Amino acid sequence: MTSSIPPQAETPAIAPTAFTLVITGAPYSSQAPQTALSFARATVAAGHRIHRVFLYGDGVHLASALAAPPSDEPDWPAEWADFLKANGIQGIACIASALRRGVVDSAEQARYALPGHNLRAPFELAGLGEWVDSRLGDGKVLYFHGGR
């Protein structure tokens, strides 16, 4: 007796997607950083890849090592830094946005003779060329904007 049930087709494996996240909202005046972090965690857990996180505009406040929220609130800059380090993801703060908002690394501190620097590791300062590079890559770019 032969079965009339056709053999099941194999489900093709879905290739992981690479993402670049662009965050433009500040951590304590916008939901953008929190929403982006939830998305990033779920994306990595699902086997996809985050290529880079690019901070622009007020989003660069996520890269400040001087944020000190009350103990009963999440420390979004620290949570982002920990997530990036744990997953080997590049974190870029737009240099023009960062300088305007007082987020500087040691090189910019020396260049402008500033009294200190406050860029939180693993973030680094870079220009819009890094963002353009992400746009030219093979992944998807998602924006998390701060509301006004």
Side-chain angles (χ1 to χ4, degrees):
M1 177 181 231
T2 60
S3 173
S4 62
I5 300 173
Q8 285 200 299
E10 286 191 38
T11 305
I14 297 174
T17 302
F19 293 92
T20 292
L21 308 183
V22 179
I23 302 171
T24 66
Y28 298 102
S29 62
S30 161
Q31 278 296 123
Q34 297 91 315
T35 303
L37 185 56
S38 292
F39 174 84
R41 287 176 173 156
T43 297
V44 169
H48 299 288
R49 189 171 73 85
I50 307 284
H51 175 68
R52 171 182 295 137
V53 174
F54 189 81
L55 308 178
Y56 185 74
D58 287 339
V60 300
H61 289 293
L62 274 176
S64 174
L66 296 179
S71 62
D72 63 341
E73 291 182 17
D75 186 344
W76 297 115
E79 288 198 32
W80 262 108
D82 292 345
F83 175 79
L84 295 175
K85 288 176 193 172
N87 292 285
I89 298 169
Q90 183 182 32
I92 302 288
C94 171
I95 191 167
S97 294
L99 290 174
R100 278 189 202 100
R101 290 163 178 83
V103 178
V104 297
D105 62 7
S106 58
E108 297 305 313
Q109 173 193 1
R111 178 178 178 189
Y112 292 103
L114 297 171
H117 58 89
N118 63 331
L119 186 70
R120 180 186 294 267
F123 288 101
E124 56 190 88
L125 298 180
L128 287 176
E130 293 291 329
W131 176 79
V132 170
D133 179 56
S134 297
R135 300 279 301 155
L136 297 174
D138 59 350
K140 299 180 184 293
V141 179
L142 295 176
Y143 296 84
F144 295 86
H145 293 293
R148 289 197 183 233

